[in-house]
Amino acid sequence: DLACRKGDRLLFRQLDLDLGPGDMLHVRGPNGVGKTSLMRILAGLARPFAGEVERTGEVGLVDGRHALDLDRELGDAMRFWARLDGGVDIAEPMRRLGIEALSDIPVGYLSTGQKQRGVIARLLLRPRPIWLLDEAFAGLDTASQDLLADLVSEHCKAGGLCAFVSHQPVDLPARTLDLAE
Protein backbone atom coordinates (compact mmCIF):
# COMPACT_ATOMS: atom_id res chain seq x y z
CA ASP A 1 0.00 0.00 0.00
CA LEU A 2 2.86 2.38 -0.78
CA ALA A 3 1.93 5.92 -1.77
CA CYS A 4 3.98 8.99 -2.64
CA ARG A 5 2.85 12.58 -2.58
CA LYS A 6 4.72 15.68 -3.77
CA GLY A 7 3.01 18.82 -2.55
CA ASP A 8 -0.67 18.43 -3.37
CA ARG A 9 -0.02 15.86 -6.09
CA LEU A 10 -0.35 12.13 -5.44
CA LEU A 11 2.27 10.48 -7.65
CA PHE A 12 1.30 6.87 -6.99
CA ARG A 13 -0.78 4.92 -4.48
CA GLN A 14 -1.59 1.37 -3.45
CA LEU A 15 1.72 0.13 -4.81
CA ASP A 16 2.64 -3.34 -3.58
CA LEU A 17 6.04 -4.83 -4.33
CA ASP A 18 7.32 -8.18 -3.15
CA LEU A 19 10.91 -8.63 -4.24
CA GLY A 20 13.37 -11.19 -3.00
CA PRO A 21 16.77 -12.70 -3.78
CA GLY A 22 17.37 -13.01 -7.50
CA ASP A 23 14.56 -10.65 -8.50
CA MET A 24 14.86 -7.83 -11.02
CA LEU A 25 12.32 -5.04 -11.39
CA HIS A 26 12.32 -2.53 -14.26
CA VAL A 27 10.42 0.61 -13.26
CA ARG A 28 9.14 2.59 -16.23
CA GLY A 29 6.90 5.54 -16.91
CA PRO A 30 6.83 9.08 -18.23
CA ASN A 31 8.74 11.89 -16.58
CA GLY A 32 7.28 13.12 -13.32
CA VAL A 33 5.29 10.05 -12.27
CA GLY A 34 7.45 9.22 -9.26
CA LYS A 35 10.10 6.77 -10.42
CA THR A 36 12.95 8.57 -8.66
CA SER A 37 10.73 9.17 -5.63
CA LEU A 38 10.03 5.44 -5.48
CA MET A 39 13.76 4.64 -5.62
CA ARG A 40 14.45 7.12 -2.80
CA ILE A 41 11.63 5.63 -0.72
CA LEU A 42 12.95 2.10 -1.31
CA ALA A 43 16.46 3.27 -0.32
CA GLY A 44 15.15 4.80 2.91
CA LEU A 45 16.06 8.34 1.86
CA ALA A 46 12.45 9.54 1.64
CA ARG A 47 9.35 8.68 3.58
CA PRO A 48 6.28 7.35 1.80
CA PHE A 49 3.02 9.27 2.09
CA ALA A 50 1.40 5.96 3.03
CA GLY A 51 2.56 2.39 3.49
CA GLU A 52 5.92 1.09 4.54
CA VAL A 53 9.02 -0.55 3.11
CA GLU A 54 10.49 -3.64 4.73
CA ARG A 55 13.92 -4.71 3.59
CA THR A 56 16.76 -6.83 4.80
CA GLY A 57 20.30 -6.12 3.74
CA GLU A 58 22.37 -3.17 2.71
CA VAL A 59 21.25 -0.98 -0.15
CA GLY A 60 23.47 0.29 -2.95
CA LEU A 61 21.91 3.26 -4.73
CA VAL A 62 23.05 4.70 -8.06
CA ASP A 63 21.20 7.86 -8.99
CA GLY A 64 21.88 11.26 -10.48
CA ARG A 65 23.88 12.30 -7.42
CA HIS A 66 27.28 10.89 -8.35
CA ALA A 67 28.86 11.59 -4.96
CA LEU A 68 32.29 11.73 -6.55
CA ASP A 69 34.19 14.91 -5.65
CA LEU A 70 34.66 16.78 -8.94
CA ASP A 71 38.01 18.25 -7.80
CA ARG A 72 39.56 14.89 -6.84
CA GLU A 73 41.24 12.55 -9.24
CA LEU A 74 39.02 9.57 -9.94
CA GLY A 75 41.37 7.13 -8.18
CA ASP A 76 41.47 9.35 -5.09
CA ALA A 77 37.68 9.73 -5.11
CA MET A 78 37.32 5.94 -5.33
CA ARG A 79 39.83 5.42 -2.50
CA PHE A 80 37.79 7.80 -0.35
CA TRP A 81 34.72 5.57 -0.76
CA ALA A 82 36.83 2.42 -0.36
CA ARG A 83 38.04 3.66 3.04
CA LEU A 84 34.42 4.18 4.11
CA ASP A 85 33.66 0.68 2.85
CA GLY A 86 36.33 -0.88 5.05
CA GLY A 87 39.53 -0.36 3.09
CA VAL A 88 38.64 -2.51 0.09
CA ASP A 89 40.77 -2.51 -3.05
CA ILE A 90 39.51 -0.31 -5.90
CA ALA A 91 41.57 -2.02 -8.62
CA GLU A 92 39.12 -4.76 -9.63
CA PRO A 93 35.96 -2.60 -9.79
CA MET A 94 37.85 0.04 -11.79
CA ARG A 95 39.28 -2.61 -14.13
CA ARG A 96 35.85 -4.21 -14.56
CA LEU A 97 34.35 -0.86 -15.56
CA GLY A 98 37.27 0.01 -17.84
CA ILE A 99 38.23 3.17 -15.97
CA GLU A 100 41.59 2.22 -14.45
CA ALA A 101 43.43 4.42 -16.97
CA LEU A 102 41.37 7.41 -15.78
CA SER A 103 42.60 7.14 -12.20
CA ASP A 104 44.71 10.33 -12.32
CA ILE A 105 42.09 12.52 -14.04
CA PRO A 106 39.95 14.86 -11.93
CA VAL A 107 36.34 13.68 -11.86
CA GLY A 108 35.19 17.07 -13.15
CA TYR A 109 37.07 16.46 -16.42
CA LEU A 110 35.46 13.08 -17.09
CA SER A 111 32.64 12.60 -19.57
CA THR A 112 29.14 11.79 -18.35
CA GLY A 113 29.63 8.12 -19.22
CA GLN A 114 33.02 7.94 -17.51
CA LYS A 115 31.57 9.45 -14.32
CA GLN A 116 28.69 7.00 -14.51
CA ARG A 117 31.09 4.06 -14.82
CA GLY A 118 32.93 5.43 -11.77
CA VAL A 119 29.70 5.45 -9.79
CA ILE A 120 28.94 1.90 -10.89
CA ALA A 121 32.47 0.83 -9.89
CA ARG A 122 31.79 2.40 -6.49
CA LEU A 123 28.70 0.17 -6.18
CA LEU A 124 30.99 -2.87 -6.59
CA LEU A 125 33.34 -1.90 -3.75
CA ARG A 126 31.50 -4.12 -1.30
CA PRO A 127 28.65 -6.60 -1.47
CA ARG A 128 25.25 -4.99 -1.14
CA PRO A 129 22.34 -7.38 -1.62
CA ILE A 130 19.92 -4.67 -2.77
CA TRP A 131 20.76 -2.56 -5.81
CA LEU A 132 18.58 0.43 -6.68
CA LEU A 133 19.59 1.95 -10.00
CA ASP A 134 17.88 5.18 -11.03
CA GLU A 135 18.73 5.86 -14.68
CA ALA A 136 22.11 4.14 -14.28
CA PHE A 137 22.03 3.21 -17.99
CA ALA A 138 21.70 6.88 -19.04
CA GLY A 139 24.81 8.50 -20.45
CA LEU A 140 26.50 5.15 -21.13
CA ASP A 141 27.59 3.98 -24.56
CA THR A 142 26.24 0.67 -25.87
CA ALA A 143 29.18 -1.39 -24.60
CA SER A 144 28.88 0.13 -21.11
CA GLN A 145 25.11 -0.43 -21.08
CA ASP A 146 25.74 -4.08 -21.95
CA LEU A 147 28.34 -4.31 -19.18
CA LEU A 148 25.91 -2.85 -16.63
CA ALA A 149 23.24 -5.33 -17.76
CA ASP A 150 25.79 -8.13 -17.26
CA LEU A 151 26.62 -6.83 -13.76
CA VAL A 152 22.93 -6.68 -12.83
CA SER A 153 22.41 -10.20 -14.16
CA GLU A 154 25.43 -11.54 -12.22
CA HIS A 155 24.28 -9.76 -9.07
CA CYS A 156 20.80 -11.28 -9.25
CA LYS A 157 22.07 -14.76 -10.19
CA ALA A 158 24.22 -14.60 -7.03
CA GLY A 159 21.10 -13.93 -4.94
CA GLY A 160 21.03 -10.14 -5.07
CA LEU A 161 18.01 -8.03 -5.87
CA CYS A 162 17.90 -5.14 -8.34
CA ALA A 163 15.22 -2.55 -9.03
CA PHE A 164 16.12 -0.16 -11.82
CA VAL A 165 14.61 2.80 -13.60
CA SER A 166 15.45 3.13 -17.27
CA HIS A 167 13.93 4.91 -20.22
CA GLN A 168 16.23 2.91 -22.50
CA PRO A 169 15.28 -0.63 -23.47
CA VAL A 170 17.31 -3.00 -21.30
CA ASP A 171 17.91 -6.61 -22.25
CA LEU A 172 17.28 -8.17 -18.85
CA PRO A 173 14.62 -10.68 -17.74
CA ALA A 174 13.08 -8.21 -15.32
CA ARG A 175 9.53 -7.84 -14.13
CA THR A 176 8.12 -4.51 -15.27
CA LEU A 177 6.36 -1.91 -13.16
CA ASP A 178 4.76 0.83 -15.24
CA LEU A 179 4.01 3.96 -13.26
CA ALA A 180 1.55 6.11 -15.17
CA GLU A 181 0.10 9.54 -14.58
Side-chain angles (χ1 to χ4, degrees), residues 19-57:
L19 302 171
D23 286 342
M24 279 183 232
L25 177 69
H26 182 177
V27 181
R28 299 187 311 193
N31 294 331
V33 297
K35 299 178 302 294
T36 293
S37 296
L38 174 60
M39 291 291 119
R40 293 184 56 75
I41 289 169
L42 294 176
L45 299 175
R47 297 181 68 194
F49 178 65
E52 62 184 54
V53 174
E54 295 178 25
R55 68 184 163 280
T56 303

Coordinates of all heavy atoms in Angstrom, one line a residue, residues 19-57:
L19 N 9.7 -8.3 -3.5 CA 10.9 -8.6 -4.2 C 11.8 -9.4 -3.3 O 11.9 -9.1 -2.1 CB 11.6 -7.4 -4.7 CG 10.9 -6.5 -5.7 CD1 11.6 -5.2 -5.9 CD2 10.6 -7.2 -7.0
G20 N 12.5 -10.4 -3.8 CA 13.4 -11.2 -3.0 C 14.7 -11.5 -3.7 O 14.9 -11.0 -4.8
P21 N 15.5 -12.3 -3.2 CA 16.8 -12.7 -3.8 C 16.6 -13.2 -5.2 O 15.7 -14.0 -5.5 CB 17.3 -13.8 -2.9 CG 16.7 -13.6 -1.6 CD 15.3 -13.0 -1.9
G22 N 17.4 -12.6 -6.1 CA 17.4 -13.0 -7.5 C 16.4 -12.2 -8.4 O 16.4 -12.3 -9.6
D23 N 15.6 -11.4 -7.7 CA 14.6 -10.6 -8.5 C 15.1 -9.4 -9.1 O 16.0 -8.7 -8.6 CB 13.4 -10.2 -7.6 CG 12.5 -11.4 -7.2 OD1 12.6 -12.4 -7.9 OD2 11.7 -11.3 -6.3
M24 N 14.6 -9.1 -10.3 CA 14.9 -7.8 -11.0 C 13.5 -7.1 -11.3 O 12.6 -7.8 -11.7 CB 15.5 -8.1 -12.4 CG 16.9 -8.4 -12.4 SD 17.5 -8.6 -14.1 CE 18.3 -10.2 -14.0
L25 N 13.5 -5.8 -11.1 CA 12.3 -5.0 -11.4 C 12.7 -3.8 -12.2 O 13.6 -3.1 -11.8 CB 11.7 -4.6 -10.1 CG 10.4 -3.7 -10.3 CD1 9.3 -4.5 -10.9 CD2 10.0 -3.0 -8.9
H26 N 12.1 -3.7 -13.4 CA 12.3 -2.5 -14.3 C 11.1 -1.6 -14.1 O 10.0 -1.9 -14.4 CB 12.4 -3.0 -15.7 CG 12.7 -1.9 -16.7 ND1 12.8 -2.2 -18.0 CD2 12.8 -0.6 -16.6 CE1 13.1 -1.1 -18.7 NE2 13.1 -0.1 -17.8
V27 N 11.4 -0.4 -13.5 CA 10.4 0.6 -13.3 C 10.4 1.6 -14.4 O 11.5 2.1 -14.8 CB 10.7 1.4 -11.9 CG1 9.6 2.4 -11.7 CG2 10.8 0.4 -10.8
R28 N 9.3 1.7 -15.1 CA 9.1 2.6 -16.2 C 8.0 3.6 -16.0 O 7.1 3.4 -15.2 CB 8.9 1.8 -17.5 CG 9.9 0.8 -17.8 CD 9.7 0.1 -19.1 NE 8.3 -0.4 -19.3 CZ 7.9 -1.3 -20.2 NH1 8.8 -1.7 -21.1 NH2 6.7 -1.7 -20.3
G29 N 8.0 4.6 -16.9 CA 6.9 5.5 -16.9 C 7.4 6.9 -17.4 O 8.6 7.1 -17.5
P30 N 6.4 7.7 -17.7 CA 6.8 9.1 -18.2 C 7.5 9.9 -17.1 O 7.4 9.6 -15.9 CB 5.5 9.7 -18.7 CG 4.4 8.9 -18.1 CD 5.0 7.5 -17.7
N31 N 8.1 11.0 -17.5 CA 8.7 11.9 -16.6 C 7.7 12.4 -15.6 O 6.6 12.7 -16.0 CB 9.4 13.1 -17.3 CG 10.6 12.7 -18.2 OD1 11.2 11.7 -17.9 ND2 10.8 13.4 -19.2
G32 N 8.1 12.5 -14.3 CA 7.3 13.1 -13.3 C 6.3 12.2 -12.6 O 5.5 12.7 -11.8
V33 N 6.3 10.9 -12.9 CA 5.3 10.1 -12.3 C 5.7 9.4 -10.9 O 5.0 8.8 -10.3 CB 4.8 8.9 -13.2 CG1 4.1 9.5 -14.4 CG2 5.9 8.0 -13.6
G34 N 7.0 9.7 -10.6 CA 7.5 9.2 -9.3 C 8.5 8.1 -9.3 O 8.7 7.5 -8.2
K35 N 9.1 7.9 -10.4 CA 10.1 6.8 -10.4 C 11.3 7.0 -9.5 O 11.7 6.2 -8.7 CB 10.6 6.6 -11.9 CG 9.5 6.2 -12.9 CD 10.0 6.0 -14.3 CE 10.7 7.3 -14.8 NZ 9.8 8.4 -15.0
T36 N 11.8 8.2 -9.5 CA 12.9 8.6 -8.7 C 12.5 8.6 -7.2 O 13.2 8.2 -6.3 CB 13.6 9.9 -9.1 OG1 14.2 9.7 -10.4 CG2 14.6 10.4 -8.1
S37 N 11.3 9.1 -7.0 CA 10.7 9.2 -5.6 C 10.6 7.8 -5.1 O 10.9 7.5 -3.9 CB 9.4 9.9 -5.6 OG 9.5 11.2 -6.0
L38 N 10.1 6.8 -5.9 CA 10.0 5.4 -5.5 C 11.4 4.9 -5.1 O 11.6 4.2 -4.1 CB 9.4 4.6 -6.6 CG 9.3 3.1 -6.3 CD1 8.5 2.8 -5.0 CD2 8.8 2.3 -7.5
M39 N 12.4 5.1 -5.9 CA 13.8 4.6 -5.6 C 14.3 5.2 -4.3 O 14.9 4.5 -3.5 CB 14.8 5.0 -6.7 CG 14.5 4.3 -8.0 SD 14.9 2.5 -7.9 CE 13.4 1.8 -8.3
R40 N 14.0 6.5 -4.0 CA 14.4 7.1 -2.8 C 13.7 6.6 -1.6 O 14.3 6.4 -0.5 CB 14.3 8.6 -2.9 CG 15.3 9.2 -3.9 CD 15.3 10.7 -4.0 NE 15.6 11.4 -2.8 CZ 16.7 11.5 -2.2 NH1 17.8 11.0 -2.7 NH2 16.9 12.2 -1.0
I41 N 12.4 6.3 -1.8 CA 11.6 5.6 -0.7 C 12.2 4.2 -0.4 O 12.4 3.9 0.7 CB 10.1 5.6 -1.1 CG1 9.5 7.0 -1.0 CG2 9.4 4.6 -0.2 CD1 8.2 7.1 -1.6
L42 N 12.4 3.5 -1.5 CA 13.0 2.1 -1.3 C 14.3 2.1 -0.6 O 14.7 1.2 0.1 CB 13.0 1.4 -2.6 CG 11.7 1.1 -3.3 CD1 11.9 0.4 -4.7 CD2 10.8 0.2 -2.5
A43 N 15.1 3.2 -0.9 CA 16.5 3.3 -0.3 C 16.4 3.8 1.1 O 17.4 3.7 1.8 CB 17.3 4.2 -1.2
G44 N 15.3 4.3 1.6 CA 15.1 4.8 2.9 C 15.5 6.3 3.0 O 15.7 6.8 4.1
L45 N 15.7 6.9 1.9 CA 16.1 8.3 1.9 C 14.9 9.3 1.9 O 15.0 10.5 2.0 CB 17.0 8.6 0.6 CG 18.3 7.9 0.6 CD1 19.0 8.1 -0.7 CD2 19.1 8.2 1.8
A46 N 13.7 8.8 1.6 CA 12.5 9.5 1.6 C 11.4 8.7 2.3 O 11.4 7.5 2.2 CB 12.0 9.9 0.2
R47 N 10.5 9.4 2.9 CA 9.3 8.7 3.6 C 8.2 8.6 2.6 O 7.8 9.6 2.0 CB 9.0 9.4 4.9 CG 10.1 9.4 5.9 CD 9.7 10.1 7.1 NE 8.7 9.3 7.8 CZ 8.0 9.7 8.8 NH1 8.1 11.0 9.2 NH2 7.1 8.9 9.4
P48 N 7.5 7.4 2.6 CA 6.3 7.4 1.8 C 5.1 8.2 2.4 O 5.1 8.4 3.6 CB 6.0 5.9 1.8 CG 6.6 5.3 3.0 CD 7.8 6.2 3.3
F49 N 4.2 8.6 1.6 CA 3.0 9.3 2.1 C 2.2 8.3 2.9 O 1.5 8.6 3.9 CB 2.3 9.9 0.9 CG 1.0 10.6 1.3 CD1 1.0 11.7 2.1 CD2 -0.2 10.0 0.8 CE1 -0.2 12.3 2.4 CE2 -1.4 10.7 1.2 CZ -1.4 11.8 2.0
A50 N 2.1 7.0 2.4 CA 1.4 6.0 3.0 C 2.2 4.7 2.8 O 2.9 4.5 1.8 CB 0.0 5.9 2.5
G51 N 1.9 3.7 3.6 CA 2.6 2.4 3.5 C 3.9 2.4 4.1 O 4.4 3.3 4.7
E52 N 4.6 1.2 4.0 CA 5.9 1.1 4.5 C 6.8 0.2 3.7 O 6.2 -0.7 2.9 CB 5.9 0.6 6.0 CG 5.2 -0.8 6.1 CD 5.1 -1.2 7.6 OE1 4.5 -0.5 8.4 OE2 5.6 -2.3 7.9
V53 N 8.1 0.3 3.8 CA 9.0 -0.5 3.1 C 9.7 -1.4 4.1 O 10.3 -0.9 5.1 CB 10.0 0.3 2.3 CG1 11.1 -0.6 1.7 CG2 9.3 1.2 1.3
E54 N 9.7 -2.7 3.9 CA 10.5 -3.6 4.7 C 11.6 -4.2 3.9 O 11.3 -4.7 2.8 CB 9.6 -4.8 5.2 CG 8.5 -4.3 6.2 CD 7.6 -5.4 6.6 OE1 8.1 -6.6 6.6 OE2 6.5 -5.1 7.0
R55 N 12.8 -4.1 4.4 CA 13.9 -4.7 3.6 C 15.0 -5.3 4.6 O 15.1 -4.8 5.7 CB 14.5 -3.7 2.7 CG 15.2 -2.5 3.3 CD 15.7 -1.5 2.4 NE 16.1 -0.3 3.0 CZ 15.2 0.6 3.4 NH1 13.9 0.5 3.2 NH2 15.6 1.7 4.1
T56 N 15.7 -6.2 4.1 CA 16.8 -6.8 4.8 C 18.0 -6.8 3.9 O 18.0 -7.2 2.8 CB 16.4 -8.3 5.1 OG1 15.2 -8.4 5.9 CG2 17.5 -8.9 6.0
G57 N 19.0 -6.2 4.5 CA 20.3 -6.1 3.7 C 20.6 -4.7 3.4 O 19.8 -3.8 3.3

